[in-house]
Amino acid sequence: MAVNKTDIKDKPRIGLALGGGGPLGGIYEIGALRALDEALDGIDFNDLDVYVGVNAGSFVAANLANQMTTAQLCRIFVKNEAEVHPFHPEVFYRPAFREIGRRLMAVPGLLASALGRFANNPYDQSFLEALTILAQAAPAGLFDNEGLNDYLARTFSMLGRTNDFRQLRRSLYIVAADVESTEAVCFGAPGFDHVPISRAIQASTASPGLYVPVEIDGRYYVDGTLRKGLHASVAFEDGADLVLAVNPQVPIDASAAVRAGTMTPGALTQAGMPNVLAQTYRTMVYSRMQSGIAQYGRDYPDKDILLFEPTRDDAKLFFSNVFSFQSRRMVCEHAYQMTRRDLLARADQLESRLAPYGIRLRRDRLEDDQRTISTSLYGEMLPLYVAKGRSRSARDRLSSGIDNVTDILQKAL
C-alpha cells in the first residue's frame, strides 16, 4: 500500500506491553515476538521507546530492553543454546525451604495457643474450631524464585547490559502489586527505579500462593496481573503513540477446543486442581484485560494498540510442560506460526494502521508456508556461514601454499 510521506507521524513513539502467563507464557511471547520481528519492517524490538512487562512479560521485556534480540531469546530460552549462563526452568520452582521451615517452627506455639483458647472458654468454640489457628502455619508460598533473581543479576551484569533501570537507553517498567495496599507499582518509574531490574522481575513473577511475596524496601510484592492482565496504559502515559501488546493468558474454551481437536472431552476437569485453578485465574485476568482494552479506546482516542494472543480453541499452550525441552520448542513454534497466521489474516487492516508509524508488513515472509523458527534463525545466517567457509578455504589454500614453499626452501638448503 502506497503511503504519502505527509501521512507518516513525526517521530512516533512505539511501545511494547507484555502480559503474564508464567514460564510457558514467556515462551509463547518469545515465539510471537520472533514472528513480529520478522514481519514488521521499520521497527527494532531492541530500540523501542518504552517497554512494559508484568509476570513473565517482565522477564521478556527486560531482556529486550537489555539488547537481547528475539533470535537470541529463542536460542537461549527455547533451544538451550545459552551464551554464558545456561537457563533451566527449574529456577522458577525451587522450594521455599526457609519459609516452610519458619512456618513449621511456629506450629508448637500455634497449637499451644489453640489449646489455651479452648481451655479458657470451651463453650465459645469446639476444639476443632480452635485448631483452625493452625492455618497460619501454611507457607505464604510453595516456591522461592530467588534463583530467578540470581540468574538475571548475573545475565544483566554481562558487557552491554545492565541491572539498573537508570542506565537503560529506553524506558522499562515492570509491574508488581503491593500485597498490603493492593496497589500496582511500576518499578523503573521515579521513586522505584533504584530497585535492581532482576529484583523487580522476581516480584512481578511472584504469583500468590505459588511464590513467597518478595520484600523490597520493607514492602511485599507479588504478581502484577492481580491488577491488570496488560498494563499498556503505562506505555501510553510514557508517551507511546502505538503499543504492540502480547497476551498469552487466555482461558480455554473447552467445547471449541474439543471441536478443533486440540483437547479431548472432559480433559480440563480430569486434569486435576492445578488446571482448574489455572482456568479460573486466566478467566479473571482475561476479563479484566478485555475491559482494559475497551477503556484504552476511550482514554487514549488518538493512540493505537495492536493485541496478539492465542485463540481460545487451542489447548496446546494450556497443557504443555515447561520442564520438557520438546514442549518448550513446540509452544514457541506454535506461537510463532499462530502469530504469523494472525498477521496475514489481518494484513489489510494492519497495513493501514501501521503505515502512519513508518512500519511495513512483510507479506512475502508471512506467505512463506515453509518458514519456521529454525529456518528464520539459521537460514538467514547461511550467507555468513558460506562466507566464513570460503574465507576458511582461502586460508587453507594460503596455508598449503606456504607449506609447499617452506618444503622447497628446506630441500634447497
Side-chain angles (χ1 to χ4, degrees), residues 128-303:
L128 288 178
E129 290 172 335
L131 288 177
T132 57
I133 193 174
L134 290 175
Q136 295 179 28
L142 298 176
F143 301 103
D144 174 7
N145 59 353
E146 187 65 39
L148 177 62
N149 172 51
D150 294 341
Y151 171 82
L152 290 173
R154 292 194 305 272
T155 301
F156 294 159
S157 66
M158 294 171 62
L159 185 65
R161 299 173 190 164
T162 178
N163 201 24
D164 189 332
F165 286 100
R166 297 163 295 190
Q167 294 181 12
L168 290 172
R169 293 177 57 247
R170 302 296 189 181
S171 298
L172 169 66
Y173 299 105
I174 293 174
V175 185
D178 187 313
V179 173
E180 295 171 329
S181 71
T182 73
E183 294 298 320
V185 170
C186 290
F187 293 106
F192 295 94
D193 55 359
H194 66 285
V195 177
I197 297 173
S198 59
R199 183 68 69 186
I201 295 173
Q202 181 188 2
S204 186
T205 56
S207 300
L210 193 61
Y211 295 107
V212 177
V214 177
E215 182 182 1
I216 299 175
D217 295 339
R219 307 288 295 183
Y220 291 89
Y221 298 94
V222 292
D223 180 4
T225 55
L226 290 179
R227 298 290 300 180
K228 291 181 183 178
L230 280 172
H231 289 263
S233 58
V234 176
F236 286 137
E237 291 297 326
D238 193 73
D241 300 296
L242 168 68
V243 173
L244 303 175
V246 181
N247 169 50
Q249 206 154 226
V250 173
I252 295 298
D253 182 335
S255 299
V258 169
R259 291 194 298 271
T262 64
M263 192 171 79
T264 57
L268 181 62
T269 53
Q270 292 170 5
M273 182 180 68
N275 282 321
V276 173
L277 289 177
Q279 174 78 334
T280 303
Y281 184 73
R282 286 168 180 253
T283 301
M284 291 189 298
V285 171
Y286 190 64
S287 176
R288 289 202 302 269
M289 191 210 67
Q290 288 182 309
S291 299
I293 293 291
Q295 188 64 38
Y296 295 149
R298 295 187 289 270
D299 293 344
Y300 309 99
D302 58 337
K303 299 178 182 291

Side-chain angles (χ1 to χ4, degrees), residues 89-118:
E90 302 92 272
V91 302
F92 287 100
Y93 297 107
R94 187 173 69 183
F97 292 116
R98 180 178 298 179
E99 168 70 7
I100 294 171
R102 187 171 68 86
R103 297 291 180 168
L104 287 175
M105 290 177 64
V107 169
L110 292 172
L111 184 58
S113 177
L115 291 172
R117 288 167 57 183
F118 177 72

Side-chain angles (χ1 to χ4, degrees), residues 30 33-35 37-38 45-46 64 68-79 81 83 332 373 376-378 380-381:
I30 290 171
L33 287 167
R34 182 60 189 159
D37 196 2
E38 291 177 7
F45 279 89
N46 295 116
L64 289 171
M68 193 174 289
T69 67
T70 59
Q72 287 175 312
L73 288 173
C74 287
R75 294 191 188 104
I76 295 172
F77 300 114
V78 179
K79 293 181 173 291
E81 298 175 14
E83 293 174 313
C332 194
I373 277 191
S376 77
L377 289 177
Y378 304 110
E380 294 171 3
M381 297 176 66

Side-chain angles (χ1 to χ4, degrees), residues 329-386:
R329 286 179 51 184
M330 181 276 292
V331 168
C332 194
E333 180 70 38
H334 191 58
Y336 173 81
Q337 298 295 355
M338 187 181 292
T339 304
R340 280 165 43 83
R341 289 195 297 270
D342 184 21
L343 285 165
L344 191 57
R346 294 195 282 164
D348 292 338
Q349 172 204 357
L350 290 175
E351 282 179 333
S352 62
R353 293 184 66 182
L354 291 170
Y357 300 98
I359 302 172
R360 183 174 70 90
L361 199 63
R362 289 289 303 269
R363 288 194 186 228
D364 58 324
R365 291 182 174 178
L366 295 175
E367 291 170 351
D368 180 2
D369 58 6
Q370 300 300 311
R371 197 175 186 88
T372 66
I373 277 191
S374 292
T375 59
S376 77
L377 289 177
Y378 304 110
E380 294 171 3
M381 297 176 66
L382 285 178
L384 178 61
Y385 292 143
V386 170

